[in-house]
Amino acid sequence: MALIAALLPIDEQRKALGEAARGHDVAWAEDWRDLLRLVKARPAVAAVADLHAERGKDGVLRIYRFSQRFPLTPILVWGDLDGRDLFRLGKAGATDVVPGADSRNRLLVEEMVVDALADQLADRLDHALRSRVRREGRTMVRSATARITEGVQVPDLATAHEVSVSTLERRCEQWGLMTPGRLLLWLRILYGLQWLLEPGRSVESVAGQLGYSSGAAFRRAIKATVGGRPTPLRNARAFESAVETFVAECPGDVAIRRALGS
Amino acid sequence: MARYDRIARLPPPAREDCFPAWLSLRDLQDHEREPELGRRARLRFLALRPLRRLLLRGLEGTSEDSLRLQVDGVRDEIERLDERDPERSRLIDYLTEIGGRSPQGLVTATLDVGAAAEGAGHSYAAEEFYRTGLELAREHGLPSQEARALRRLARVHRGREEWEAAVALGREAASVAQRAGAPVQWAMALEEVARAETGRGDRARGRAVLDEVAQRGRAEENDHLLAVAAAARCALELGADDFDLAIREGCRAVELFPPTDPHRNRALLDTAAALRRVGLWAAAEACYGVVETHSTWVEHRAEAATERAVVAAERGDAPGFRRRRERILEIVDSGDLRLRALLHVGLGRGCLIAGDVDEGREHLRLAISSARDADLESLLVSADELLMALERGQRLTSPRPRPASPESRAAAAALQDGFGARVTAGG
């Protein structure tokens, strides 16, 4: 279940998004400023906004500011959009647009929401683990990434897989993964580091979103996994290196490694 | 105002960094407050979206109902366009093809809409349609269509003076056509390469590329390849002011192309332009007459009619020019801005030569307005220059023709005889 931050003042729009994003949470913003605040304060993975949400305000400029602060968070723009709006929205960095009539096409909006919610980090980890971890293990990683913003813990994972915590630990070993506790720690760190690549997010807010008691606690967790130098915060290269370290730390399935001759 | 300027100042993003089909809106750069252009750009964008989604998600990932709703929504808006609008029918055909989901038909229709946008001077919209057609052709393994899309993309880049890209795309088109076993497509792709090489100032390389086409045409005894090479060489030599050579190559192309081939008309227009420069007006008028009568392309017919009228002015036959101008004005009410700009520039020039200053000024103003609306830089510059000359009180004279070589005279006579023979043979 993902969280979508939305600024849609018209009831019909809210209803349409609610239906298209069934199964996900929507946090409603009051105005443009509130939308920025929401995304900063809560783990929203996508945003939706009506370009004409506030009378007298240049919505395209607000979208531009949003995309500058949250370049990795997709933003879908709704509304009656003329050619000039569409042209300017492209320059401003909108992820996609839902012009006029399309917003009444529930299937299309549903597809667009699904596209916007695509978790690229999860896809990337799945791809990187393909040569080391068997399918069941990767499915488990997927289920953990899908719930990372909900503060998922090891017992929750075990329950979701209908096994006990000790069985889950044994299975992780068989699949070539690290222990479930270590896995969740790593995933929190990787998602946190990724969010921090966006200038609009602060260490404190990201730490809070991931369930840490403070920014300092989050920093300590980073140091314990990724290391402290060079600082991995707001550092794209260090984030790439953290992903590689995570993959390397997974012991790997013996059978897969044998098959690959390593 | 300050807020507006903030976005306007941003550089246009690269196609891959923007939402699907945004490139089709890029013609609005520096023209974003023009309502007609904005409306047209939006319609093209909306028309492209269902196809872009099909490409992104594949047939399996796209709901048929959703696709139908999208297509119907755009169709309703497009049907509100003026029925004389040249893009209207192409867009409707294209939307019908999306509903039908036949890859071959869909690629053709997509490229056709691109050509209409290109004709209107909207090169980014054309590029987006061509790129979409290209992706679709690749997705469905249609190499001949792929080569066609690549060649048109090369032409778009050439039009924007992006020579490197034009040459690279033209070469790629040639190599795809070669693999597909389509020699005419291959020759036309290399013709595009030659034009780009010439455009960037390397005529020698342009000639070498055309020689390659001619060589293959001779080796395979393929008249069509020889015709393509000769027609392109005619245009190249015309630009190089070697009119005798242009006439020789042009006459050869006219002889080799089948009479129904639209490229033959382009060769006739270029040959006529070269004939005028050496004072062989009667032959030039005969060429224009053939195009005016037989071409199925309105652009070719309009250019031929206008230039034929201007030839009368150049020959000092002002009443003849005025008669022809009147006839052209009856057909000038076209929704195609490029065509209007082209006609008015030509007629404006003719009026200035004939000494009809007021009419000339009116034509040039109309040309400037159409060229500006359609963002046709070269026509705009021509019209501006002519208007400036007029306002400075300069009398425009026809360019003094160079003496024609005996070979050019003979080629022109043979060409005219050929037209006569064909007309007689045709009844």
Side-chain angles (χ1 to χ4, degrees), chain B residues 43-360:
Chain B
L43 280 181
R44 289 179 185 140
F45 170 80
L46 293 179
L48 270 165
R49 300 264 294 169
L51 187 50
R52 296 286 345 151
R53 290 201 67 73
L54 260 181
L55 278 165
L56 180 77
R57 297 178 68 94
L59 273 175
E60 308 75 37
T62 310
S63 143
E64 208 159 315
D65 287 344
S66 153
L67 192 69
R68 188 178 41 76
L69 277 172
Q70 287 178 72
V71 169
D72 289 349
V74 187
R75 196 197 307 268
D76 284 348
E77 292 205 39
I78 288 169
E79 280 173 351
R80 278 182 236 142
L81 283 174
D82 188 332
E83 286 195 18
R84 289 175 309 165
D85 190 314
E87 215 169 320
R88 184 181 184 270
S89 61
R90 295 197 198 186
L91 276 166
I92 289 175
D93 288 349
Y94 155 84
L95 290 173
T96 309
E97 289 293 345
I98 295 183
R101 295 196 186 185
S102 140
Q104 178 93 23
L106 186 50
V107 178
T108 305
T110 309
L111 298 182
D112 280 353
V113 184
E118 191 184 353
H122 301 145
S123 79
Y124 289 102
E127 182 181 348
E128 182 60 43
F129 276 97
Y130 291 156
R131 288 203 180 273
T132 302
L134 175 64
E135 285 171 51
L136 205 61
R138 282 181 175 157
E139 177 100 1
H140 293 280
L142 302 165
S144 177
Q145 303 276 54
E146 185 184 343
R148 185 168 293 142
L150 283 164
R151 182 163 52 81
R152 291 186 179 187
L153 277 168
R155 190 171 66 196
V156 163
H157 284 280
R158 176 167 60 84
R160 296 205 293 254
E161 300 191 356
E162 294 162 357
W163 309 119
E164 292 293 326
V167 169
L169 284 160
R171 286 271 174 209
E172 198 182 342
S175 116
V176 171
Q178 175 75 355
R179 282 201 305 276
V184 176
Q185 288 263 18
W186 170 85
M188 284 160 71
L190 285 188
E191 178 196 347
E192 198 48 59
V193 173
R195 285 180 191 270
E197 295 284 15
T198 308
R200 73 168 157 195
D202 196 341
R203 284 210 173 87
R205 201 177 279 187
R207 287 187 186 107
V209 172
L210 294 176
D211 285 347
E212 190 185 336
V213 178
Q215 211 168 5
R216 181 171 170 184
R218 281 191 295 274
E220 295 180 7
E221 294 181 359
N222 184 331
D223 282 355
H224 210 141
L225 297 196
L226 289 168
V228 170
R233 190 70 191 266
C234 167
L236 190 151
E237 300 306 345
L238 184 61
D241 287 355
D242 188 340
F243 305 121
D244 287 321
L245 192 47
I247 291 168
R248 199 180 73 199
E249 294 289 348
C251 290
R252 193 167 152 67
V254 170
E255 193 188 315
L256 289 167
F257 271 127
T260 50
D261 193 316
H263 296 96
R264 181 174 185 264
N265 294 322
R266 183 69 258 164
L268 278 165
L269 291 169
D270 288 341
T271 309
L275 288 165
R276 276 160 74 182
R277 301 300 295 275
V278 294
L280 295 171
W281 284 300
E285 283 195 84
C287 291
Y288 289 133
V290 170
V291 179
E292 207 182 330
T293 317
H294 297 293
S295 176
T296 52
W297 288 12
V298 64
E299 296 90 343
H300 284 166
R301 282 204 309 274
E303 184 178 341
T306 310
E307 292 306 318
R308 197 168 167 218
V310 178
V311 169
E314 284 177 356
R315 296 176 78 169
D317 177 11
F321 165 74
R322 289 180 195 122
R323 269 198 312 278
R324 287 176 185 174
R325 175 178 160 267
E326 288 300 322
R327 269 213 308 276
I328 294 166
L329 286 177
E330 288 165 17
I331 57 159
V332 79
D333 183 25
S334 159
D336 187 329
L337 289 173
R338 186 175 176 278
L339 198 57
R340 286 176 62 154
L342 198 76
L343 286 171
H344 285 300
V345 171
L347 292 177
R349 191 158 38 91
C351 283
L352 296 196
I353 295 171
D356 300 341
V357 176
D358 291 341
E359 289 85 350

Side-chain angles (χ1 to χ4, degrees), chain B residues 2-62:
Chain B
R3 288 182 304 177
Y4 158 74
D5 282 341
R6 185 101 185 256
I7 301 296
R9 276 203 310 267
L10 297 174
R15 181 176 184 256
E16 55 278 14
D17 295 335
C18 220
F19 50 77
W22 179 83
L23 188 68
S24 64
L25 299 156
R26 199 179 148 176
D27 296 298
L28 281 165
Q29 178 78 28
D30 301 326
H31 301 277
E32 53 181 81
R33 288 192 184 269
E34 289 176 21
E36 171 52 31
L37 184 57
R39 194 172 61 89
R40 187 167 293 272
R42 177 174 170 276
L43 280 181
R44 289 179 185 140
F45 170 80
L46 293 179
L48 270 165
R49 300 264 294 169
L51 187 50
R52 296 286 345 151
R53 290 201 67 73
L54 260 181
L55 278 165
L56 180 77
R57 297 178 68 94
L59 273 175
E60 308 75 37
T62 310

